[in-house]
Coordinates of all heavy atoms in Angstrom, one line a residue:
M46 N 1.8 13.5 4.3 CA 1.5 12.4 5.2 C 0.2 12.8 5.9 O -0.1 13.9 6.3 CB 2.6 12.3 6.2 CG 4.0 11.9 5.7 SD 4.1 10.4 4.9 CE 3.9 9.2 6.2
T47 N -0.6 11.7 6.1 CA -1.8 11.8 6.9 C -1.9 10.7 7.9 O -1.2 9.7 7.8 CB -3.1 11.8 6.0 OG1 -3.1 10.5 5.3 CG2 -3.1 12.9 5.0
V48 N -2.7 10.9 9.0 CA -2.8 9.9 10.0 C -4.3 9.7 10.2 O -5.1 10.6 10.3 CB -2.2 10.4 11.4 CG1 -2.5 9.4 12.5 CG2 -0.7 10.7 11.2
N49 N -4.7 8.4 10.2 CA -6.0 8.0 10.5 C -6.0 7.1 11.8 O -5.6 6.0 11.7 CB -6.6 7.1 9.3 CG -8.0 6.6 9.6 OD1 -8.6 6.9 10.7 ND2 -8.5 5.8 8.7
P50 N -6.4 7.7 12.9 CA -6.4 7.0 14.2 C -7.4 5.9 14.3 O -7.4 5.2 15.3 CB -6.6 8.1 15.2 CG -7.4 9.1 14.5 CD -7.0 9.1 13.1
D51 N -8.3 5.8 13.4 CA -9.5 4.9 13.5 C -9.4 3.7 12.4 O -10.4 3.2 12.1 CB -10.8 5.6 13.3 CG -11.0 6.6 14.4 OD1 -10.6 6.3 15.6 OD2 -11.4 7.8 14.2
A52 N -8.2 3.4 11.9 CA -8.1 2.4 10.9 C -8.2 1.0 11.6 O -8.2 0.8 12.8 CB -6.7 2.5 10.2
V53 N -8.4 0.0 10.7 CA -8.5 -1.4 11.1 C -7.7 -2.2 10.2 O -7.8 -2.0 9.0 CB -10.0 -1.9 11.2 CG1 -10.1 -3.4 11.6 CG2 -10.8 -1.0 12.1
D54 N -6.9 -3.2 10.7 CA -6.1 -4.0 9.7 C -7.0 -5.2 9.2 O -8.1 -5.3 9.6 CB -4.8 -4.5 10.3 CG -5.0 -5.6 11.3 OD1 -6.1 -6.1 11.6 OD2 -3.9 -6.2 11.8
V55 N -6.4 -6.0 8.3 CA -7.2 -7.0 7.7 C -7.6 -8.1 8.7 O -8.6 -8.8 8.4 CB -6.3 -7.7 6.5 CG1 -5.2 -8.5 7.1 CG2 -7.2 -8.5 5.6
D56 N -7.0 -8.2 9.8 CA -7.3 -9.2 10.8 C -8.4 -8.6 11.8 O -8.8 -9.2 12.8 CB -6.1 -9.6 11.6 CG -6.3 -10.9 12.4 OD1 -7.0 -11.8 11.9 OD2 -5.8 -11.0 13.5
G57 N -8.8 -7.3 11.6 CA -9.8 -6.7 12.4 C -9.2 -6.0 13.6 O -10.0 -5.5 14.5
R58 N -7.9 -5.9 13.7 CA -7.3 -5.2 14.9 C -7.4 -3.7 14.7 O -7.1 -3.2 13.6 CB -5.9 -5.7 15.1 CG -5.7 -7.1 15.3 CD -4.3 -7.6 15.4 NE -3.7 -7.5 14.1 CZ -2.5 -7.9 13.8 NH1 -1.7 -8.4 14.7 NH2 -2.0 -7.7 12.5
P59 N -7.7 -2.9 15.8 CA -7.6 -1.5 15.7 C -6.2 -1.0 15.4 O -5.2 -1.6 15.9 CB -8.0 -1.0 17.1 CG -8.5 -2.2 17.8 CD -8.0 -3.4 17.1
A60 N -6.1 0.0 14.5 CA -4.8 0.5 14.1 C -4.8 2.0 13.8 O -5.8 2.6 13.7 CB -4.4 -0.3 12.8
V61 N -3.6 2.5 13.8 CA -3.3 3.9 13.3 C -2.7 3.7 11.9 O -1.8 3.0 11.8 CB -2.4 4.6 14.2 CG1 -2.0 6.0 13.7 CG2 -2.9 4.8 15.6
A62 N -3.3 4.4 11.0 CA -2.7 4.3 9.6 C -2.0 5.6 9.3 O -2.6 6.7 9.4 CB -3.8 4.1 8.6
V63 N -0.7 5.5 9.0 CA 0.1 6.6 8.5 C 0.2 6.5 7.0 O 0.7 5.4 6.6 CB 1.4 6.7 9.2 CG1 2.3 7.9 8.7 CG2 1.3 6.7 10.7
S64 N -0.2 7.5 6.2 CA -0.2 7.2 4.8 C 0.3 8.4 4.0 O 0.3 9.6 4.5 CB -1.6 6.9 4.4 OG -2.5 7.9 4.6
R65 N 0.6 8.2 2.8 CA 1.0 9.2 1.8 C 0.4 8.8 0.4 O 0.2 7.6 0.2 CB 2.5 9.4 1.7 CG 3.2 8.2 1.1 CD 4.7 8.6 0.9 NE 5.4 7.4 0.3 CZ 5.4 7.2 -1.0 NH1 4.9 8.0 -1.9 NH2 6.1 6.1 -1.5
V66 N 0.0 9.8 -0.4 CA -0.5 9.5 -1.7 C 0.6 9.6 -2.7 O 1.4 10.6 -2.7 CB -1.7 10.5 -2.0 CG1 -2.1 10.3 -3.5 CG2 -2.8 10.3 -1.0
A67 N 0.7 8.6 -3.6 CA 1.8 8.6 -4.6 C 1.1 8.7 -6.0 O 0.0 8.1 -6.2 CB 2.6 7.4 -4.6
D68 N 1.7 9.4 -6.9 CA 1.2 9.5 -8.3 C -0.2 10.1 -8.4 O -0.9 9.9 -9.4 CB 1.2 8.2 -9.0 CG 2.6 7.6 -9.1 OD1 3.6 8.5 -9.3 OD2 2.8 6.4 -9.0
G69 N -0.7 10.7 -7.3 CA -2.0 11.3 -7.3 C -3.2 10.4 -7.1 O -4.3 10.9 -7.1
W70 N -3.0 9.1 -7.0 CA -4.1 8.2 -6.9 C -4.0 7.0 -6.1 O -5.0 6.3 -5.8 CB -4.5 7.7 -8.4 CG -3.5 6.8 -9.0 CD1 -2.4 7.2 -9.7 CD2 -3.5 5.4 -9.0 NE1 -1.7 6.1 -10.1 CE2 -2.4 5.0 -9.7 CE3 -4.4 4.5 -8.5 CZ2 -2.1 3.6 -9.9 CZ3 -4.1 3.1 -8.7 CH2 -3.0 2.7 -9.4
V71 N -2.8 6.7 -5.5 CA -2.7 5.5 -4.7 C -2.1 5.9 -3.3 O -1.1 6.5 -3.2 CB -1.8 4.4 -5.3 CG1 -0.4 4.8 -5.6 CG2 -1.8 3.1 -4.5
S72 N -2.8 5.5 -2.3 CA -2.4 5.8 -0.9 C -1.7 4.6 -0.3 O -2.2 3.5 -0.2 CB -3.7 6.1 -0.1 OG -3.4 6.3 1.3
H73 N -0.5 4.8 0.1 CA 0.3 3.8 0.8 C 0.2 4.0 2.3 O 0.6 5.0 2.8 CB 1.8 3.9 0.4 CG 2.0 3.6 -1.1 ND1 2.2 2.3 -1.6 CD2 2.1 4.5 -2.2 CE1 2.3 2.4 -2.9 NE2 2.3 3.7 -3.3
E74 N -0.3 3.0 3.0 CA -0.6 3.1 4.4 C 0.3 2.1 5.2 O 0.4 0.9 4.9 CB -2.1 2.7 4.7 CG -3.1 3.6 4.0 CD -4.5 3.2 4.2 OE1 -4.8 2.1 4.7 OE2 -5.4 4.1 3.9
L75 N 0.8 2.6 6.3 CA 1.6 1.8 7.2 C 0.6 1.7 8.4 O 0.2 2.7 9.0 CB 2.9 2.5 7.6 CG 3.8 1.9 8.6 CD1 4.3 0.6 8.0 CD2 4.9 2.8 9.0
L76 N 0.3 0.5 8.9 CA -0.6 0.2 9.9 C 0.1 -0.1 11.2 O 0.9 -1.1 11.2 CB -1.6 -0.9 9.5 CG -2.4 -0.7 8.3 CD1 -3.0 -1.9 7.8 CD2 -3.4 0.4 8.5
L77 N -0.2 0.6 12.3 CA 0.5 0.4 13.6 C -0.5 0.2 14.7 O -1.6 0.7 14.6 CB 1.3 1.7 13.9 CG 2.3 2.2 12.8 CD1 2.9 3.5 13.2 CD2 3.4 1.2 12.6
D78 N -0.1 -0.6 15.7 CA -1.0 -0.8 16.8 C -1.3 0.5 17.5 O -0.4 1.3 17.7 CB -0.3 -1.8 17.8 CG -1.2 -2.1 19.0 OD1 -1.1 -1.3 20.0 OD2 -1.9 -3.1 19.0
R79 N -2.5 0.7 17.9 CA -2.9 2.0 18.5 C -2.3 2.3 19.8 O -2.1 3.4 20.2 CB -4.4 2.1 18.7 CG -5.2 2.2 17.4 CD -6.7 2.4 17.7 NE -7.4 2.3 16.5 CZ -8.7 2.2 16.5 NH1 -9.4 2.1 17.6 NH2 -9.4 2.0 15.3
S80 N -1.9 1.2 20.6 CA -1.3 1.4 21.9 C 0.2 1.4 21.9 O 0.8 2.3 22.5 CB -1.8 0.3 22.9 OG -3.2 0.4 23.0
T81 N 0.8 0.4 21.2 CA 2.2 0.2 21.3 C 3.0 0.8 20.0 O 4.2 0.8 20.0 CB 2.5 -1.2 21.4 OG1 2.1 -1.9 20.2 CG2 1.9 -1.8 22.6
Y82 N 2.2 1.1 19.0 CA 2.8 1.5 17.7 C 3.6 0.4 17.0 O 4.5 0.6 16.2 CB 3.6 2.8 17.8 CG 2.7 3.9 18.3 CD1 2.9 4.4 19.6 CD2 1.7 4.5 17.5 CE1 2.0 5.5 20.0 CE2 0.9 5.5 17.9 CZ 1.1 6.0 19.2 OH 0.2 7.0 19.6
T83 N 3.4 -0.9 17.4 CA 4.0 -2.0 16.8 C 3.5 -2.2 15.4 O 2.3 -2.0 15.1 CB 3.7 -3.3 17.6 OG1 4.1 -3.1 18.9 CG2 4.3 -4.5 17.0
Y84 N 4.4 -2.5 14.5 CA 4.0 -2.7 13.1 C 3.0 -3.9 12.9 O 3.2 -5.0 13.4 CB 5.2 -3.1 12.2 CG 5.0 -3.5 10.8 CD1 4.8 -2.5 9.8 CD2 4.9 -4.8 10.5 CE1 4.6 -2.9 8.5 CE2 4.7 -5.2 9.1 CZ 4.5 -4.2 8.2 OH 4.3 -4.6 6.9
L85 N 1.8 -3.6 12.3 CA 0.8 -4.6 12.1 C 0.7 -5.0 10.6 O 0.4 -6.2 10.3 CB -0.6 -4.1 12.5 CG -0.8 -3.7 14.0 CD1 -2.2 -3.1 14.2 CD2 -0.6 -4.9 14.8
G86 N 1.0 -4.1 9.7 CA 1.0 -4.4 8.3 C 1.0 -3.2 7.5 O 1.3 -2.1 8.0
E87 N 0.7 -3.3 6.2 CA 0.6 -2.2 5.3 C -0.3 -2.5 4.2 O -0.6 -3.7 3.9 CB 2.0 -1.8 4.8 CG 2.7 -3.0 4.1 CD 4.2 -2.6 3.9 OE1 4.5 -2.0 2.9 OE2 5.0 -2.9 4.8
R88 N -0.7 -1.5 3.5 CA -1.6 -1.7 2.3 C -1.5 -0.5 1.4 O -1.1 0.6 1.8 CB -3.0 -1.9 2.7 CG -3.7 -0.8 3.4 CD -5.1 -1.2 3.8 NE -5.6 -0.2 4.8 CZ -6.3 -0.5 5.8 NH1 -6.7 -1.7 6.0 NH2 -6.7 0.4 6.7
A89 N -1.8 -0.7 0.1 CA -1.9 0.4 -0.9 C -3.4 0.4 -1.4 O -3.9 -0.7 -1.8 CB -1.0 0.2 -2.0
V90 N -4.0 1.5 -1.3 CA -5.4 1.6 -1.7 C -5.6 2.7 -2.7 O -5.0 3.8 -2.6 CB -6.3 2.0 -0.4 CG1 -7.8 2.1 -0.8 CG2 -6.1 0.9 0.7
A91 N -6.4 2.5 -3.8 CA -6.6 3.5 -4.7 C -7.4 4.7 -4.1 O -8.5 4.4 -3.6 CB -7.4 3.0 -5.9
S92 N -6.9 5.9 -4.0 CA -7.5 7.0 -3.4 C -8.3 7.8 -4.4 O -9.0 8.8 -4.0 CB -6.5 7.9 -2.6 OG -5.5 8.3 -3.5
A93 N -8.2 7.4 -5.6 CA -9.0 8.1 -6.7 C -9.1 7.1 -7.8 O -8.3 6.1 -7.9 CB -8.3 9.3 -7.2
D94 N -10.1 7.2 -8.7 CA -10.1 6.4 -9.9 C -8.9 6.6 -10.8 O -8.4 7.8 -10.8 CB -11.4 6.7 -10.8 CG -12.7 6.3 -10.1 OD1 -12.6 5.5 -9.1 OD2 -13.7 6.7 -10.6
Y95 N -8.4 5.6 -11.4 CA -7.2 5.7 -12.2 C -7.4 4.9 -13.5 O -7.8 3.7 -13.4 CB -6.0 5.2 -11.5 CG -4.7 5.1 -12.4 CD1 -4.0 6.2 -12.7 CD2 -4.3 3.8 -12.9 CE1 -2.9 6.1 -13.6 CE2 -3.2 3.7 -13.7 CZ -2.5 4.9 -14.0 OH -1.4 4.8 -14.8
T96 N -7.1 5.4 -14.6 CA -7.1 4.7 -15.9 C -5.8 4.7 -16.5 O -5.2 5.8 -16.7 CB -8.2 5.3 -16.9 OG1 -9.5 5.3 -16.2 CG2 -8.2 4.6 -18.2
A97 N -5.2 3.6 -16.8 CA -3.9 3.5 -17.4 C -4.0 3.9 -18.8 O -5.0 3.7 -19.5 CB -3.4 2.0 -17.3
P98 N -3.0 4.6 -19.3 CA -3.0 5.1 -20.7 C -3.0 4.0 -21.8 O -2.6 2.8 -21.5 CB -1.7 5.9 -20.9 CG -1.0 5.7 -19.6 CD -1.7 4.9 -18.7
E99 N -3.6 4.3 -22.9 CA -3.5 3.4 -24.1 C -2.1 3.2 -24.5 O -1.2 4.0 -24.2 CB -4.3 4.0 -25.2 CG -5.8 4.2 -25.0 CD -6.5 2.8 -24.9 OE1 -6.1 1.9 -25.6 OE2 -7.5 2.7 -24.2
P100 N -1.8 2.0 -25.1 CA -0.4 1.7 -25.5 C 0.1 2.8 -26.5 O -0.7 3.4 -27.3 CB -0.5 0.4 -26.2 CG -1.8 -0.2 -25.7 CD -2.7 0.9 -25.4
G101 N 1.3 3.1 -26.5 CA 1.9 4.0 -27.5 C 3.1 4.8 -26.8 O 3.5 4.5 -25.7
V102 N 3.6 5.7 -27.6 CA 4.8 6.5 -27.2 C 4.3 7.9 -26.9 O 3.6 8.5 -27.8 CB 5.9 6.5 -28.2 CG1 7.1 7.4 -27.8 CG2 6.4 5.1 -28.5
R103 N 4.7 8.5 -25.8 CA 4.3 9.9 -25.4 C 5.5 10.6 -24.9 O 6.4 10.0 -24.4 CB 3.2 9.9 -24.4 CG 1.8 9.3 -24.9 CD 0.9 9.1 -23.8 NE -0.4 8.6 -24.1 CZ -0.6 7.3 -24.6 NH1 0.4 6.5 -24.7 NH2 -1.8 6.9 -24.8
V104 N 5.4 11.9 -24.9 CA 6.4 12.7 -24.2 C 5.8 13.4 -23.0 O 4.8 14.1 -23.2 CB 7.0 13.7 -25.2 CG1 8.0 14.6 -24.5 CG2 7.7 13.1 -26.4
E105 N 6.3 13.1 -21.9 CA 5.8 13.7 -20.6 C 6.9 14.3 -19.9 O 7.9 13.7 -19.6 CB 5.1 12.6 -19.8 CG 3.9 11.9 -20.4 CD 3.3 10.9 -19.5 OE1 3.8 10.7 -18.4 OE2 2.4 10.2 -20.0
E106 N 6.7 15.6 -19.6 CA 7.7 16.4 -18.9 C 9.1 16.3 -19.5 O 10.1 16.1 -18.8 CB 7.8 16.0 -17.4 CG 6.4 16.2 -16.7 CD 6.5 15.8 -15.2 OE1 7.5 15.3 -14.7 OE2 5.4 15.8 -14.6
G107 N 9.1 16.3 -20.8 CA 10.4 16.2 -21.6 C 11.0 14.8 -21.7 O 12.1 14.7 -22.3
R108 N 10.3 13.8 -21.2 CA 10.8 12.5 -21.3 C 9.9 11.6 -22.2 O 8.7 11.7 -22.2 CB 10.9 11.8 -19.9 CG 11.8 12.5 -18.9 CD 11.7 11.8 -17.6 NE 10.3 11.7 -17.1 CZ 10.0 11.0 -16.1 NH1 10.9 10.3 -15.4 NH2 8.7 10.9 -15.8
K109 N 10.6 10.7 -23.0 CA 9.8 9.8 -23.8 C 9.4 8.6 -23.0 O 10.2 8.0 -22.3 CB 10.7 9.3 -25.0 CG 9.9 8.4 -26.0 CD 10.8 7.7 -26.9 CE 11.2 8.6 -28.1 NZ 11.9 7.8 -29.2
I110 N 8.1 8.4 -23.0 CA 7.5 7.3 -22.2 C 6.9 6.3 -23.2 O 6.1 6.7 -24.0 CB 6.4 7.8 -21.2 CG1 7.0 8.9 -20.3 CG2 5.9 6.6 -20.4 CD1 8.0 8.5 -19.3
I111 N 7.2 5.0 -23.0 CA 6.6 4.0 -23.9 C 5.6 3.2 -23.0 O 6.0 2.6 -22.0 CB 7.6 3.1 -24.5 CG1 8.6 3.8 -25.3 CG2 6.9 1.9 -25.3 CD1 9.8 3.0 -25.8
Y112 N 4.3 3.3 -23.4 CA 3.3 2.5 -22.6 C 3.0 1.2 -23.4 O 2.8 1.2 -24.6 CB 2.0 3.3 -22.6 CG 2.1 4.5 -21.6 CD1 2.2 5.8 -22.2 CD2 2.0 4.3 -20.3 CE1 2.3 6.9 -21.3 CE2 2.1 5.4 -19.4 CZ 2.3 6.7 -20.0 OH 2.4 7.8 -19.1
M113 N 3.0 0.1 -22.7 CA 2.8 -1.2 -23.3 C 1.6 -1.8 -22.6 O 1.3 -1.5 -21.4 CB 4.1 -2.1 -23.2 CG 5.3 -1.4 -23.9 SD 6.8 -2.3 -23.6 CE 6.5 -3.8 -24.5
G114 N 1.0 -2.8 -23.2 CA -0.1 -3.5 -22.6 C -1.4 -2.8 -22.9 O -1.5 -1.8 -23.6
H115 N -2.5 -3.2 -22.2 CA -3.8 -2.7 -22.4 C -4.1 -1.6 -21.4 O -3.6 -1.6 -20.2 CB -4.8 -3.8 -22.3 CG -4.6 -4.9 -23.3 ND1 -4.9 -4.7 -24.6 CD2 -4.1 -6.1 -23.2 CE1 -4.6 -5.8 -25.3 NE2 -4.1 -6.7 -24.4
S116 N -5.0 -0.7 -21.7 CA -5.5 0.3 -20.8 C -6.5 -0.5 -19.8 O -7.1 -1.4 -20.2 CB -6.3 1.3 -21.5 OG -6.8 2.3 -20.6
Y117 N -6.5 0.0 -18.6 CA -7.4 -0.6 -17.6 C -7.8 0.5 -16.6 O -7.1 1.5 -16.5 CB -6.7 -1.8 -16.9 CG -5.4 -1.4 -16.2 CD1 -5.3 -0.9 -14.9 CD2 -4.2 -1.5 -16.9 CE1 -4.1 -0.5 -14.4 CE2 -3.0 -1.2 -16.4 CZ -3.0 -0.7 -15.1 OH -1.8 -0.3 -14.6
T118 N -8.8 0.3 -15.8 CA -9.3 1.2 -14.9 C -9.3 0.6 -13.5 O -9.8 -0.5 -13.3 CB -10.7 1.8 -15.2 OG1 -10.6 2.4 -16.5 CG2 -11.2 2.8 -14.2
I119 N -8.8 1.3 -12.5 CA -8.9 0.9 -11.1 C -9.8 1.9 -10.4 O -9.5 3.1 -10.5 CB -7.5 0.9 -10.5 CG1 -6.6 -0.1 -11.2 CG2 -7.5 0.6 -9.0 CD1 -5.1 -0.1 -10.8
K120 N -10.8 1.4 -9.7 CA -11.7 2.3 -9.0 C -11.2 2.7 -7.6 O -10.6 1.9 -7.0 CB -13.1 1.6 -8.9 CG -13.7 1.3 -10.2 CD -14.2 2.5 -10.9 CE -14.9 2.3 -12.1 NZ -15.3 3.5 -12.9
K121 N -11.6 3.9 -7.2 CA -11.3 4.4 -5.9 C -11.8 3.4 -4.9 O -12.8 2.8 -5.0 CB -12.0 5.7 -5.7 CG -11.8 6.3 -4.3 CD -12.5 7.7 -4.2 CE -12.3 8.3 -2.8 NZ -12.9 9.6 -2.7
G122 N -10.9 3.1 -3.9 CA -11.2 2.2 -2.8 C -10.7 0.8 -3.0 O -10.7 0.0 -2.1
T123 N -10.2 0.5 -4.2 CA -9.6 -0.8 -4.5 C -8.3 -1.0 -3.7 O -7.5 -0.2 -3.8 CB -9.3 -1.0 -6.0 OG1 -10.5 -0.8 -6.8 CG2 -8.7 -2.3 -6.4
I124 N -8.2 -2.1 -3.0 CA -7.0 -2.5 -2.3 C -6.0 -3.1 -3.3 O -6.3 -4.1 -3.9 CB -7.3 -3.4 -1.2 CG1 -8.2 -2.8 -0.1 CG2 -6.0 -3.9 -0.5 CD1 -8.6 -3.6 1.0
M125 N -4.9 -2.5 -3.5 CA -3.9 -2.9 -4.5 C -2.9 -3.9 -3.9 O -2.6 -4.9 -4.5 CB -3.1 -1.7 -5.0 CG -3.9 -0.5 -5.4 SD -4.8 -0.8 -6.9 CE -3.4 -1.0 -8.0
T126 N -2.4 -3.7 -2.7 CA -1.6 -4.6 -2.0 C -2.0 -4.6 -0.5 O -2.5 -3.7 0.0 CB -0.1 -4.2 -2.1 OG1 0.2 -3.0 -1.5 CG2 0.4 -4.2 -3.5
L127 N -1.6 -5.8 0.1 CA -2.0 -5.9 1.5 C -1.0 -6.9 2.2 O -0.7 -7.9 1.6 CB -3.4 -6.5 1.6 CG -4.1 -6.8 2.9 CD1 -4.2 -5.5 3.7 CD2 -5.4 -7.4 2.7
A128 N -0.5 -6.5 3.3 CA 0.4 -7.3 4.1 C 0.0 -7.2 5.6 O -0.4 -6.1 6.0 CB 1.8 -6.8 3.9
V129 N 0.1 -8.3 6.3 CA -0.3 -8.3 7.7 C 0.7 -9.1 8.5 O 1.2 -10.2 8.0 CB -1.7 -8.8 7.9 CG1 -1.9 -10.2 7.5 CG2 -2.2 -8.6 9.3
R130 N 1.1 -8.7 9.7 CA 1.9 -9.5 10.5 C 1.1 -10.0 11.7 O 0.5 -9.2 12.4 CB 3.1 -8.6 11.1 CG 3.9 -9.4 12.1 CD 5.0 -8.6 12.8 NE 6.0 -8.4 11.8 CZ 7.0 -7.5 12.0 NH1 7.0 -6.7 13.0 NH2 7.9 -7.4 11.1
L131 N 0.9 -11.3 11.7 CA 0.0 -11.9 12.8 C 0.8 -12.3 14.0 O 0.2 -12.3 15.1 CB -0.7 -13.1 12.2 CG -1.7 -12.8 11.0 CD1 -2.3 -14.1 10.5 CD2 -2.8 -11.8 11.5
N132 N 2.1 -12.5 13.9 CA 2.8 -13.0 15.0 C 4.3 -12.7 14.8 O 4.8 -12.5 13.7 CB 2.7 -14.5 15.1 CG 3.0 -15.0 16.5 OD1 3.5 -14.3 17.4 ND2 2.7 -16.3 16.8
I133 N 5.0 -12.5 15.9 CA 6.4 -12.3 15.9 C 7.1 -12.9 17.1 O 6.4 -13.1 18.1 CB 6.7 -10.7 15.8 CG1 8.2 -10.5 15.6 CG2 6.2 -10.1 17.1 CD1 8.5 -9.0 15.3
G134 N 8.3 -13.3 17.0 CA 9.0 -14.0 18.1 C 10.5 -13.8 18.0 O 11.0 -13.4 17.0
V135 N 11.1 -14.2 19.1 CA 12.6 -14.0 19.2 C 13.1 -15.4 19.6 O 12.6 -16.1 20.4 CB 13.0 -13.0 20.3 CG1 14.5 -12.9 20.4 CG2 12.4 -11.6 19.9
T136 N 14.3 -15.8 19.0 CA 14.9 -17.0 19.4 C 16.4 -16.7 19.6 O 16.9 -15.7 19.2 CB 14.7 -18.1 18.2 OG1 15.4 -19.3 18.6 CG2 15.3 -17.6 16.9
D137 N 17.1 -17.7 20.2 CA 18.5 -17.4 20.5 C 19.5 -18.0 19.5 O 20.7 -17.9 19.7 CB 18.8 -18.0 22.0 CG 18.6 -19.5 22.1 OD1 18.1 -20.1 21.2 OD2 19.0 -20.0 23.2
R138 N 18.9 -18.7 18.5 CA 19.8 -19.2 17.4 C 19.1 -19.4 16.1 O 17.9 -19.6 16.1 CB 20.5 -20.6 17.9 CG 19.5 -21.7 18.2 CD 20.3 -22.9 18.8 NE 19.4 -24.0 18.9 CZ 18.7 -24.3 19.9 NH1 18.7 -23.5 21.0 NH2 17.9 -25.4 19.9
P139 N 19.8 -19.4 15.0 CA 19.2 -19.5 13.7 C 18.5 -20.9 13.5 O 18.9 -21.9 14.0 CB 20.3 -19.4 12.7 CG 21.5 -18.8 13.5 CD 21.2 -19.2 14.9
G140 N 17.4 -20.9 12.7 CA 16.7 -22.1 12.4 C 15.8 -22.6 13.4 O 15.1 -23.6 13.2
V141 N 15.6 -21.9 14.5 CA 14.7 -22.4 15.6 C 13.5 -21.4 15.5 O 13.6 -20.2 15.6 CB 15.4 -22.3 17.0 CG1 14.4 -22.7 18.0 CG2 16.5 -23.3 17.0
R142 N 12.3 -22.0 15.4 CA 11.1 -21.2 15.4 C 10.7 -20.9 16.9 O 10.8 -21.7 17.7 CB 10.0 -22.0 14.8 CG 10.2 -22.2 13.3 CD 9.0 -22.8 12.6 NE 7.8 -22.0 12.7 CZ 7.3 -21.3 11.7 NH1 8.0 -21.2 10.6 NH2 6.2 -20.6 11.9
P143 N 10.4 -19.6 17.1 CA 10.0 -19.2 18.5 C 8.7 -19.8 18.9 O 7.9 -20.2 18.1 CB 9.9 -17.7 18.4 CG 10.0 -17.3 17.0 CD 10.4 -18.5 16.2

């Protein structure tokens, strides 16, 4: 886990990003408000270049893996997913917008 206290969300709001790298190339970031730690959103960003394998059958770590589709490359810095919470509210009954 890493913490970036100087992150910014997609709406331009200052944020703290708490992240972890998965599969050695994609960083999953949880974005929190710098003052209140309220959830602002999340994103996944390529932290390294990644090239998907060519189609075929391989054995990796003793498991048979079948790759389908075309090989492709994702460049470091590419935003893979992005979510943002712009507003939140509370209501006293279902179906009523705050």
Side-chain angles (χ1 to χ4, degrees):
M46 298 297 290
T47 60
V48 176
N49 175 2
D51 299 317
V53 178
D54 78 355
V55 70
D56 198 39
R58 298 175 293 184
V61 173
V63 179
S64 62
R65 69 175 179 84
V66 175
D68 299 325
W70 69 275
V71 62
S72 176
H73 294 276
E74 300 177 347
L75 183 63
L76 301 168
L77 307 172
D78 180 272
R79 287 186 194 166
S80 300
T81 64
Y82 300 108
T83 302
Y84 173 84
L85 297 177
E87 55 193 271
R88 63 183 165 217
V90 180
S92 56
D94 289 347
Y95 171 76
T96 300
E99 294 291 331
V102 178
R103 294 171 181 66
V104 176
E105 295 179 6
E106 299 177 8
R108 297 180 307 171
K109 183 192 276 188
I110 307 291
I111 301 172
Y112 291 102
M113 300 173 68
H115 300 285
S116 180
Y117 55 89
T118 299
I119 297 170
K120 296 292 184 185
K121 179 179 179 177
T123 300
I124 296 174
M125 309 290 294
T126 61
L127 181 62
V129 63
R130 176 182 286 165
L131 297 175
N132 202 351
I133 188 170
V135 178
T136 182
D137 62 351
R138 60 185 189 272
V141 176
R142 293 182 63 100

